[in-house]
C-alpha cells in the first residue's frame, strides 16, 4: 500500500520518523502561523504567540508524562551529549562519587564525561557480552551516599531496554533519549530525566530535561549561563533564544500523542509493533539472530544479525527497494537495526516482518 | 500592497524575518524532501541526502563570505551565548589576557563569561553614553601579547555597528550575530567569527563559527566534547546529531543570497533600506531621535525614541494595525527599534518610513 505524500518507511535510529499528521500541520503553518503573518521560524521568542507555543508544549508534556508538582521542565540545546557533561559538572561535587550503569554506547559516553569532572564508579558494565543485557536494579551495588546513579533506559545502538522504573535510595538520573514517551513511567522515581528530541519527540536540536526541584537546588550557584540548569530554569528555558521551531514541532508531537490516547496507548502499539518484528526473528530458525537477551529486548531499536555480511547487504538493499530504509546496524553490533519509534506505523513493522520472513525463506 | 500568504512586515530583532522564497521551498520539501520519501527533520544526519545538505551549506557559505583556505566552518548548538563561554575556555590560557571592546549588551555578556575563565581587559566601554558609539580600531589600547581581542560587529539592542574590518596585531574574535552576511567582509582579518543564525541566516538553534586553523590549534587537547572546537571540527560539526533542519534552512538562505548577487548586492540593498528609515528620522524635525551616533548607525537595527511613552505606545499599535510588527525597542534604550535584516524587503522599510512621516506630521 502506497504511503501518503510518496513517503517511505524510515527505520532510522535518529533523527527518526515523525507522525505524518504533525508534518502536515507544520506544512500548513509554515509561511503564516495561524494568522500571525509569519512562520514560527521568524517569531520573536518573547512574543505572545511563541510564549503560547512553548507553554503549551510544556503543559502537554506534563500531562503526557504525568510530571508531578515539584519538577521543572527545560528545553535545552546541545543534545544528550551536552547533558553527559552538564550533569556531573552540576551534581558531582568534589569528594563525592556518582554511580554509572553502563549497558551500551551512550552509557559509556556518559561515564567518560563524568570521569572528566570527578569520581564516577562503574557499578555495572555489560562489555563482556557486547552489551546485550541489562542488570536488575535490585542487584546493583550502589555507592553509599552516591551523588546520583545514572543509567540509560534504552541503548539505541545495542537495542537493550530496562522494562521498569527504578526504586533506589539515591537520586536517579536517566538518559531516556531513545525510549521517552514510548510507555508510561513514574516520574517521581527520578531526580533528573533527560532526552534528545530526535528519536521519539521531534527534530534534532533540543534536549528535554525534567528535574526535581530539590535535586536542582544542589547545582552550583553560579556557572557559565549555557551550562547552568538553575539559570535556565529561572528563565523558563529562555535565557537565550531557544530552538523555537524544534520546540514547536515537539509540541505538535505531544498533542498528537495525547490525541492518540497517551503513553499507555503508545506502549500497547509499540509492543505490538516490536512483537511482529521479534516474531519474524524468532520464527526464522536461526536465520536472524537477535542481539539482546529476551528480557531486555528494546521496543524501540530491534537489533539482529544475518548469516553473512553479503546477506546483510542484500537484505538492506532489497528492503530499500521495497520502501524500507535505514536498516543497517551500527558497526559495534553489526547486522541490522530496525528503529520502531512511536511514529513508525504498525504497517511499517508488519511490512518489514513479512519481508524478513520471505527473505529468510528464500535465503535460509 | 498585500504581502503573499497573508504575511506582514516583521521587524523583530531575532528570530527575524526570512525570505519568503526560502519558506516556500521549505514548505514544498516538508513531507518528502526531493524524492527521499521523508522530511529533512526525519533524516539520519549520516545519510547521503543530509551529508549533501550540510556540505552544500558550507560550500555556499564559503563562496558567499569568501572564506579563504585555512579556515574551518562549524555549525554548533547553544547560540552565541555558548560561544561567549567556549571562546575564553578554549583560547584564554592562564597568565594570558584577552581584550574586550564593549559597545553594548552583547559585548557585556561576552566579557562577563571571559571573567569567569581568566583575565579579561575591558579596553573600551561606551557605558557613559549608553552605548551609542563605537571606537576607531586604530585608537584601541591593546594589551601586548593579548590572547585575542573580542568585539561585537553590530549591537542588536543599541543599534551601533562597526563599518569596517579591523586590522589588528592580535587575533581578532568577532561576534557577528546580527550583521553577518549583510555586507562583504575580509575574513582573513579575523581569527574567529561567530554568529547565532536567527537574525540574518535562519531559524534559532544553530551558531556558525568560522575559525582560522592556526588559532584553532591553540585550543586545549581535551575538554568536554560539546565544548571542544577541535573535536567538532574533526567531526565536521557532527560529533553528535546536529540541528539538521536549522542548518538546512540556513543552507537555503545561503543559496538565496548567492542568487540575489551575494553580499555586495545585499549591502547595497541594506544601505537603501536603512537609508529610507534613517531619512524618516532625520527629516522629522526632532520628533524621532536616533540613538546611535551618525558614523556607527546600524544598517540592521535602527533605534530611535519618540517624544513620550504614550506616543511610543500609539506608534507601535498603529504600526501593527498597518501590518508592521515588533517595533518596540529594548528597555535599556527605550523607544523603538526596527530590525531591517537581509530578509526584510525594501517595501517594508519604505512602508515604515512613510508611516513614520505621517505619524510625525500628525503628532509632532
Amino acid at each position: 500500500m502506497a504511503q501518503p505524500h510518496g513517503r517511505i518507511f524510515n527505520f532510522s535510529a535518529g533523527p527518526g520518523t515523525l507522525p505524518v499528521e504533525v508534518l502536515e500541520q507544520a506544512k500548513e503553518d509554515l509561511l503564516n502561523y495561524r494568522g500571525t503573518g509569519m512562520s514560527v521560524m521568524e517569531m520573536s521568542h518573547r512574543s505572545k504567540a511563541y510564549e503560547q507555543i512553548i507553554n503549551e508544549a510544556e503543559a502537554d508534556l506534563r500531562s503526557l508524562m504525568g510530571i508531578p508538582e515539584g519538577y521543572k521542565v527545560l528545553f535545552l540545546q546541545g543534545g544528550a551529549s551536552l547533558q553527559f557533561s552538564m550533569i556531573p559538572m552540576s551534581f558531582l561535587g568534589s569528594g563525592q562519587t556518582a554511580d554509572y550503569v553502563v549497558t551500551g554506547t551512550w552509557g559509556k559516553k556518559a561515564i567518560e564525561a563524568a570521569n572528566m569532572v570527578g569520581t564516577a564508579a562503574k557499578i555495572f558494565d555489560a562489555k563482556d557480552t557486547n552489551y546485550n543485557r541489562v542488570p536488575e536494579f535490585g542487584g546493583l551495588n550502589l555507592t553509599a551516599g552516591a551523588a546520583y546513579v545514572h543509567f540509560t533506559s534504552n541503548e539505541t545502538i545495542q537495542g537493550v531496554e530496562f522494562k521498569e522504573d527504578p526504586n533506589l535510595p539515591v537520586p536517579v538520573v536517566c538518559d531516556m533519549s531513545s525510549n521517552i514517551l514510548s510507555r508510561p513511567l513514574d516520574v517521581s522515581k527520578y531526580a533528573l530525566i533527560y532526552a534528545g528530541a530526535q528519536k521519539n519527540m521531534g527534530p534534532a536540536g533540543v534536549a528535554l530535561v525534567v528535574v526535581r526541584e530539590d535535586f536542582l537546588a544542589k547545582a552550583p550557584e553560579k556557572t557559565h549561563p549555557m551550562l547552568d540548569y538553575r539559570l535556565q530554569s529561572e528563565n523558563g528555558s529562555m535565557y537565550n533564544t531557544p530552538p523555537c521551531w524544534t520546540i514547536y514541532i515537539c509540541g505538535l508531537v505531544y498533542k498528537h500523542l495525547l490525541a492518540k490516547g497517551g503513553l499507555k496507548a503508545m506502549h500497547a502499539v509499540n509492543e505490538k509493533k516490536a512483537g511482529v518484528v521479534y516474531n519474524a526473528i524468532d520464527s526464522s530458525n536461526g536465520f536472524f539472530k537477535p542481539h539482546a537477551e529476551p528480557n531486555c529486548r528494546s521496543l524501540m531499536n530491534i537489533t539482529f544479525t544475518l548469516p553473512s555480511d553479503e546477506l546483510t547487504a542484500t537484505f538492506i538493499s532489497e528492503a530499500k527497494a521495497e520502501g524500507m530504509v535505514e536498516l543497517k546496524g551500527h558497526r559495534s553490533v553489526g547486522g541490522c537495526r530496525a528503529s520502531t519509534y512511536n511514529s513508525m506505523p504498525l504497517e511499517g513493522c508488519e511490512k518489514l516482518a513479512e519481508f524478513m520472513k520471505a527473505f529468510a525463506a528464500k535465503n535460509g
Side-chain angles (χ1 to χ4, degrees), chain A residues 307-321:
Chain A
S308 71
D309 288 349
E310 290 70 27
L311 282 168
T312 305
T314 307
F315 178 88
I316 291 164
S317 96
E318 290 187 3
K320 190 175 177 180

Side-chain angles (χ1 to χ4, degrees), chain A residues 157-178:
Chain A
I157 287 176
Q158 286 77 16
V160 295
E161 185 174 23
F162 286 88
K163 296 297 176 186
E164 55 182 13
D165 297 314
N167 198 357
L168 296 172
V170 296
V172 175
V173 173
C174 184
D175 175 2
M176 294 192 185
S177 293
S178 52

Side-chain angles (χ1 to χ4, degrees), chain A residues 11 41 71 111 141 170 177 183 202 221 232 300:
Chain A
F11 292 92
M41 290 186 265
Y71 281 79
I111 193 171
N141 266 320
V170 296
S177 293
R183 65 169 193 234
E221 278 299 323
Q232 291 289 354
M300 298 286 104

Side-chain angles (χ1 to χ4, degrees), chain A residues 339-353:
Chain A
S339 295
T340 53
Y341 296 127
N342 274 352
S343 309
M344 170 58 63
L346 175 59
E347 302 77 60
C349 292
E350 287 171 342
K351 182 170 175 174
L352 176 62

Side-chain angles (χ1 to χ4, degrees), chain A residues 13 81-82 160 223 233 236 249 275 280:
Chain A
S81 292
L82 186 55
V160 295
T223 182
S233 170
I249 299 289

